[in-house]
Amino acid sequence: MVKSKFSETIAANKRHINSSFFLFSINFVNFIYPLLISPIIIKKCGLEGFGLVILFQSIFIFIASITDYGFNINATREITLNERNKEFVNRHFFTIGYTKAILFIVAFLFSLVIYTFLPKANEYSFLYFSSFSILIGRAFNPLWILRALHKIKYFFYFFILFKLISFLIIYFFLNDINNLFLINLTIGLSDFLTCFFSVIVLFSKMKWHFYKPNVLVVKNEITAGFAIFIQVISINANAYLNPMILGLFVNEYALGIYCVVEKIILLVKFCGSFVIQSIFPKACELVAKSLFDYKLLAQKLFLFLLISMIIAGVFLTGFSDLIVSYFLKTNRLACSKFLIYSAWIPFVVAINMVPYMTFMVFNKQKKITFIMIFSVLLNVVVNGILSKKFGIYGMATGIYVTEMFISISLWIILIFKFPKLNFFKNDK
């Protein structure tokens, strides 16, 4: 009886399981890839070189938020709900593609503005502009539609191939800080080639026809997604702009220490984000069928993330020196102490992950736009003041303050403004 029920559950969710497997594999590679190349970069280019690489990586990942525009949430939800309408899927793919092309121009201009005003970008201009390939590689990423259509395998095989090639290039051709540009250049190109070939295969398999949306359709897409865009760029600003802020006040060595620890913290947070990304299409389907079932899923997900991040915090605190030793063979004390201080950032972030997903699933993102905008301003002001006075520890303190503000604010809105969506209230 139990075996039969289990088999039925597996059969009913086969597509989600397959998609989750491929998405897990992609995220697992994204998880271990920085772990593989970071010690190589530090060994050959020092902490200073590593800090510069991560600084420009972070800037262009943030700028790529402009082309992402929240399509990973908004467009994925639309395709999930209209998956059987092939003509809609066909047209929506091209509509998003055209929209991304316009947003790419905006992103390019914004990168020039940052170059003009950021001293380290001017000082290391060749490294900065070679890092532009990261923006190119991310601009037209098709994962938003592949997730909704459960066809991530079209992306996966190219992803593995080009990641391996980029790793081999870095391993064999990175000699010292003089050819530091190879790192971000090859990472960006590998992402671009992955997206390019996976889109060609997807287009061929789905037998789509070319569709050119008019200006009004693109304008409506930008208008409809603006609230999500503000939230996505706010989240990414809080996650990726901190090295740029810190780079204004500390030297390359201190920036390198911060970037090593930030890389570790981001990897832990990445695990939580992966879970949310994997669950999101299923959550959208559940909402369309049963609010009660969604609440049960959200409860379990929230508790799972909380417990996981508590375990991660204990692990990072107790084994800080061992973890740092993977990146640094000598002079580990400063990095180890800073990791202990930053170890509980993922736990604070986990508190707001499921409430945020709930607002996205129920299309209530406009209600939290002010919170996300204010969090960016809070992050910039607090981190700017504290990092100028206390260096890397001031930056970590500012991150704690910002993430606590987001968590408390989202829960207050969920409980008092949308009590029916509060997943700890099991009313149907």
Side-chain angles (χ1 to χ4, degrees):
M1 179 73 176
V2 175
K3 185 176 180 180
S4 176
K5 189 174 181 181
F6 177 76
S7 300
E8 290 176 3
T9 303
I10 294 296
N13 294 279
K14 185 177 180 180
R15 290 199 314 158
H16 291 290
I17 292 171
N18 287 338
S19 292
S20 294
F21 169 75
F22 283 113
L23 191 60
F24 170 79
S25 300
I26 290 169
N27 280 279
F28 180 73
V29 172
N30 280 330
F31 179 85
I32 64 170
Y33 186 79
L35 294 178
L36 293 175
I37 66 170
S38 293
I40 298 172
I41 299 170
I42 294 171
K43 180 180 179 181
K44 295 184 177 182
C45 305
L47 271 175
E48 295 86 351
F50 180 73
L52 290 169
V53 166
I54 301 302
L55 169 63
F56 295 143
Q57 269 186 24
S58 299
I59 290 173
F60 280 100
I61 291 173
F62 168 70
I63 296 175
S65 305
I66 297 173
T67 56
D68 287 345
Y69 206 75
F71 295 131
N72 286 329
I73 296 171
N74 206 27
T76 298
R77 182 178 60 235
E78 290 299 316
I79 296 297
T80 299
L81 298 177
N82 296 278
E83 182 182 353
R84 295 181 181 180
N85 187 338
K86 294 183 179 180
E87 183 63 22
F88 175 86
V89 173
N90 187 162
R91 291 191 170 206
H92 205 60
F93 173 78
F94 279 98
T95 299
I96 299 300
Y98 270 88
T99 308
K100 278 177 170 281
I102 294 171
L103 295 172
F104 178 78
I105 297 172
V106 177
F108 171 71
L109 295 175
F110 186 51
S111 70
L112 295 181
V113 172
I114 291 179
Y115 174 77
T116 302
F117 292 100
L118 184 65
K120 281 188 170 58
N122 283 266
E123 187 178 353
Y124 302 95
S125 57
F126 187 67
L127 179 58
Y128 180 83
F129 284 111
S130 63
S131 302
F132 183 76
S133 64
I134 293 174
L135 173 60
I136 297 173
R138 287 172 171 261
F140 300 97
N141 190 314
L143 266 180
W144 64 272
I145 193 169
L146 295 174
R147 285 168 56 208
L149 296 175
H150 303 283
K151 298 187 182 297
I152 301 179
K153 63 180 180 180
Y154 296 158
F155 184 91
F156 174 74
Y157 300 115
F158 292 117
F159 172 79
I160 295 298
L161 172 64
F162 290 117
K163 276 294 180 189
L164 177 60
I165 292 173
S166 69
F167 173 78
L168 293 175
I169 290 173
I170 292 171
Y171 184 83
F172 287 109
F173 295 100
L174 179 65
N175 298 317
D176 52 41
I177 200 167
N178 292 318
N179 55 2
L180 199 60
F181 69 92
L182 274 176
I183 302 164
N184 288 345
L185 180 63
T186 55
I187 290 173
L189 288 178
S190 72
D191 288 341
F192 170 75
L193 292 172
T194 298
C195 296
F196 178 77
F197 286 107
S198 59
V199 166
I200 289 177
V201 173
L202 177 65
F203 193 90
S204 174
K205 293 288 185 181
M206 298 298 291
K207 295 182 171 54
W208 285 338
H209 59 82
F210 179 78
Y211 168 72
K212 183 179 180 180
N214 59 46
V215 176
L216 183 61
V217 171
V218 173
K219 181 183 176 182
N220 289 340
E221 197 64 46
I222 292 174
T223 303
F226 183 72
I228 295 180
F229 164 68
I230 292 298
Q231 290 155 40
V232 168
I233 202 168
S234 298
I235 291 171
N236 287 341
N238 291 334
Y240 296 111
L241 276 189
N242 292 330
M244 187 172 77
I245 296 171
L246 189 63
L248 296 172
F249 305 114
V250 300
N251 59 31
E252 285 84 351
Y253 184 80
L255 182 63
I257 292 175
Y258 173 82
C259 288
V260 168
V261 173
E262 185 195 47
K263 183 65 67 178
I264 297 168
I265 298 301
L266 285 177
L267 287 172
V268 177
K269 287 165 61 178
F270 188 74
C271 295
S273 298
F274 159 71
V275 174
I276 295 293
Q277 289 175 20
S278 301
I279 293 293
F280 186 76
K282 179 67 175 177
C284 291
E285 291 180 10
L286 278 179
V287 165
K289 297 175 183 177
S290 169
L291 174 61
F292 182 72
D293 289 343
Y294 171 78
K295 287 185 175 183
L296 290 179
L297 173 69
Q299 284 178 20
K300 294 175 183 177
L301 183 58
F302 179 77
L303 293 174
F304 171 77
L305 289 172
L306 231 57
I307 293 170
S308 299
M309 293 308 168
I310 289 173
I311 295 171
V314 172
F315 183 80
L316 292 176
T317 301
F319 298 94
S320 60
D321 186 65
L322 179 64
I323 296 168
V324 169
S325 69
Y326 176 79
F327 298 89
L328 296 169
K329 301 307 176 186
T330 58
N331 301 322
R332 298 195 302 265
L333 184 61
C335 249
S336 179
K337 286 182 176 180
F338 186 56
L339 178 57
I340 292 172
Y341 188 79
S342 306
W344 295 96
I345 290 175
F347 172 76
V348 179
V349 174
I351 297 173
N352 64 54
M353 283 184 172
V354 180
Y356 181 77
M357 184 185 79
T358 300
F359 289 117
M360 297 301 105
V361 167
F362 286 95
N363 202 24
K364 302 293 184 183
Q365 58 272 4
K366 290 183 180 179
K367 305 300 181 181
I368 59 172
T369 301
F370 173 77
I371 299 299
M372 306 313 294
I373 293 174
F374 187 80
S375 72
V376 175
L377 298 176
L378 180 67
N379 181 69
V380 172
V381 173
V382 172
N383 284 346
I385 294 171
L386 293 180
S387 61
K388 183 177 182 180
K389 188 171 181 61
F390 302 106
I392 57 177
Y393 284 90
M395 178 61 70
T397 303
I399 294 171
Y400 274 116
V401 171
T402 303
E403 293 297 343
M404 280 300 299
F405 167 77
I406 295 173
S407 296
I408 293 170
S409 299
L410 292 186
W411 271 104
I412 288 174
I413 294 174
L414 184 65
I415 292 171
F416 295 105
K417 197 164 186 177
F418 298 99
K420 289 184 178 180
L421 304 185
N422 182 1
F423 46 85
F424 279 108
K425 290 181 67 176
N426 286 332
D427 47 327
K428 297 185 180 182

